[in-house]
Amino acid sequence: MGKLRFKTLREEVAEEIRLKILNQELTPGMRIIEQELSDELGVSRGPIREALRQLEQEGMVEYTRNVGCSVREITMQDVYETYLLRSNYEILAVRLYEAKFTDEEIARMEEAVELMKSLTIQNYNKVITYGCMLHAVIIEKAGLARLSKAWSDLEYGEIFSCNAGYTDKQSVIRRQYPIHRELVDVCKTRDVEKICKAISDHYMLTVKRLERDTKKDS
């Protein structure tokens, strides 16, 4: 059993706001009203401000002078940069421990993949949860706190790619199991080069697919 991690109020509020962005309750460009969030979540404006500052650092929201806080507009550059960095962090981790996954670690990946079969429009927010659950096994095995922190700080890239206005949610759901099934099967080989290539392909093919969808809808 893994160690329990208790979230601060700021982290809980930040997670609630992330979900609102993912579920398109807060859409790109929409102004975020602190008092409205305070009333809805039942907390004071202090934790709301702290959470918004955190999300600003993560790149999910932005402050504009004389306007206030709003949800950042989604760009393909955002997705490309975050996926490029995330994939390279995971590749670095795999090379450091030479892809020596234990059976228990593979089992944790398998658990995440199996959960992806239960995805529906109703629990769409779990798309990111299950994906990060799987990829976290890859990054955390390296045992480097700063590497794990840098990787997790890029989670907003996942939200951008799953929440782009031109993205069909049902298509995203259908893709989750097969693309992650393929990645786990490669990890089972414990072959460093094959795994590193699979990680790169996993992220970059998503970028290419999103670029293609953007051009189609423009």
Side-chain angles (χ1 to χ4, degrees):
M1 179 178 178
K3 294 181 180 178
L4 294 176
R5 181 179 181 279
F6 296 95
K7 295 180 180 178
T8 64
L9 182 57
R10 169 184 57 79
E11 289 173 323
E12 289 181 351
V13 171
E15 185 171 316
E16 286 296 323
I17 298 173
R18 283 194 198 94
L19 287 176
K20 287 181 175 297
I21 295 174
L22 176 62
N23 294 327
Q24 297 185 326
E25 294 174 49
L26 295 172
T27 56
M30 180 181 289
R31 188 180 173 197
I32 298 174
I33 311 299
E34 290 181 8
Q35 189 58 55
E36 289 181 1
L37 286 174
S38 176
D39 294 340
E40 181 180 348
L41 300 178
V43 299
S44 67
R45 291 176 65 174
I48 299 292
R49 290 195 193 98
E50 292 175 4
L52 290 174
R53 278 196 290 270
Q54 177 182 330
L55 295 175
E56 182 187 22
Q57 292 175 349
E58 293 177 8
M60 290 189 65
V61 303
E62 59 185 355
Y63 278 94
T64 305
R65 189 175 180 180
N66 299 323
V67 176
C69 183
S70 60
V71 181
R72 267 192 65 187
E73 295 285 351
I74 300 168
T75 69
M76 276 307 308
Q77 187 65 25
D78 288 318
V79 177
Y80 171 72
E81 288 183 12
T82 55
Y83 274 24
L84 178 67
L85 289 171
R86 262 204 164 192
S87 62
N88 277 283
Y89 287 154
E90 291 180 29
I91 288 170
L92 172 61
V94 168
R95 291 193 182 282
L96 285 171
Y97 53 75
E98 299 178 329
K100 294 177 181 177
F101 293 109
T102 64
D103 290 343
E104 188 270 338
E105 287 161 346
I106 294 295
R108 285 166 56 199
M109 292 187 201
E110 291 279 9
E111 179 185 359
V113 170
E114 288 305 307
L115 286 170
M116 290 175 188
K117 290 181 178 179
S118 66
L119 286 169
T120 64
I121 293 295
Q122 286 68 40
N123 67 349
Y124 185 71
N125 61 298
K126 296 296 185 181
V127 167
I128 294 172
T129 301
Y130 298 155
C132 287
M133 180 179 168
L134 190 158
H135 288 275
V137 177
I138 297 173
I139 198 77
E140 291 172 1
K141 182 175 173 61
L144 301 176
R146 289 181 178 84
L147 181 62
S148 293
K149 175 68 165 54
W151 177 86
S152 62
D153 282 349
L154 294 171
E155 185 174 310
Y156 69 90
E158 297 287 333
I159 294 178
F160 281 173
S161 67
C162 291
N163 195 37
Y166 49 82
T167 297
D168 174 8
K169 289 185 178 181
Q170 198 61 58
S171 294
V172 174
I173 290 171
R174 281 196 300 268
R175 284 197 297 267
Q176 292 309 296
Y177 179 79
I179 64 175
H180 287 91
R181 171 79 272 162
E182 182 178 354
L183 181 60
V184 174
D185 286 345
V186 174
C187 287
K188 287 180 178 179
T189 68
R190 277 83 167 181
D191 184 308
V192 173
E193 295 309 319
K194 285 182 179 179
I195 294 171
C196 290
K197 183 179 184 304
I199 291 171
S200 179
D201 289 347
H202 178 83
Y203 280 105
M204 291 303 110
L205 288 175
T206 298
V207 172
K208 290 178 180 177
R209 183 164 50 242
L210 288 172
E211 287 177 335
R212 187 170 60 247
D213 289 347
T214 306
K215 291 176 182 177
K216 188 188 306 179
D217 292 349
S218 61

